[in-house]
Amino acid sequence: GGATTPQPQDWGAIVFNPGSASTFTHTNVLFGGGNVGANPSFSNINVQGGNHTFSFGRSARSGARNFGISAGTLNITGTEIDNAAFDGVLQLGGTTTITSANIHNNVNDGVSAFGGVLDLTSNTFTGNGNRAAFLEADTFFTQTGNTATNNGLNGFGIDGVMTQNQTWTPGPPYISFSTSTVIVPSGI
C-alpha cells in the first residue's frame, strides 16, 4: 500500500490510567480522537488518573478533543491546542492547569469543564467556534491574564449551580446564558 494523508481519527488516544505519570516536552500529538463521543476518552491525550505534564508542544487535529481529563492532574504549559472537531480541552474531573497556551480554532470551545479544578493563566483564546471556555458553575475555576479574540463569544460561559466559594477575577467576561441560570446558594 501507498502512503496516505493523515486525518483526524486516524487512531484513538494515548491513555493514562490512575497511578501513572508522564512528561511530554516539545512533542506533537496529532490526528487522534478515533471514537467520537461525549467523554474524554475520545481525545489525543486522555488522562484518567495520575500526574501528567505537557510542555512546549502541540496537540491538534483530533477527531474529538485534543486533551481530555476525568481524574488526576494535567499541567499544560506553552502548548498549542488547536483544530479539534469538538473542544480543545474537555475536563470532567481532576485538576487541570493551563499556562501560556495558544488555544485556537477548535470547533466548539477552547476549554470545557464540567467539574474538578481548572486554572487558566496567560493563555490566548482565538477563533474557537463557541466560546473561549465553558464552565459548569461547580468547577472550581481560577484565571488571570487570559485574552480572548475572534471566538464565537469572547469570554467564559457559565452554567449551573455553584457549590463552593469562588472569586472570579477580571479578564475575559463571564457569560451566563439567557436560557440558563447560574445559581449561587446562600452562604456561598
Side-chain angles (χ1 to χ4, degrees):
T4 61
T5 302
Q7 298 293 318
Q9 299 185 347
D10 273 354
W11 54 278
I14 299 172
V15 178
F16 296 102
N17 293 313
S20 62
S22 69
T23 300
F24 290 82
T25 304
H26 301 285
T27 303
N28 294 332
V29 181
L30 310 171
F31 301 112
N35 294 312
V36 176
N39 71 55
S41 63
F42 307 117
S43 305
N44 287 347
I45 304 287
N46 171 9
V47 176
Q48 298 179 1
N51 190 351
H52 308 280
T53 300
F54 199 95
S55 302
F56 309 108
R58 181 178 182 210
S59 184
R61 304 248 178 233
S62 172
R65 293 156 192 90
N66 291 316
F67 289 94
I69 178 171
S70 57
T73 302
L74 175 61
N75 298 298
I76 302 169
T77 303
T79 293
E80 188 171 6
I81 303 168
D82 65 286
N83 290 290
F86 294 105
D87 307 305
V89 177
L90 173 65
Q91 175 179 304
L92 298 181
T95 299
T96 303
T97 301
I98 305 174
T99 306
S100 301
N102 182 4
I103 304 168
H104 66 92
N105 298 101
N106 298 289
V107 171
N108 290 338
D109 298 313
V111 175
S112 290
F114 297 88
V117 177
L118 175 64
D119 177 60
L120 300 175
T121 302
S122 301
N123 299 294
T124 301
F125 294 88
T126 310
N128 297 294
N130 288 342
R131 298 154 288 250
F134 174 81
L135 314 161
E136 282 290 322
D138 67 342
T139 302
F140 188 80
F141 177 61
T142 56
Q143 70 87 26
T144 186
N146 297 288
T147 61
T149 57
N150 298 319
N151 299 285
L153 293 172
N154 290 315
F156 303 125
I158 309 290
D159 188 22
V161 177
M162 188 173 290
T163 59
Q164 55 196 324
N165 291 328
Q166 296 195 49
T167 301
W168 292 342
T169 56
Y174 299 90
I175 304 164
S176 177
F177 301 98
S178 60
T179 59
S180 64
T181 302
V182 174
I183 299 170
V184 181
S186 63
I188 290 187

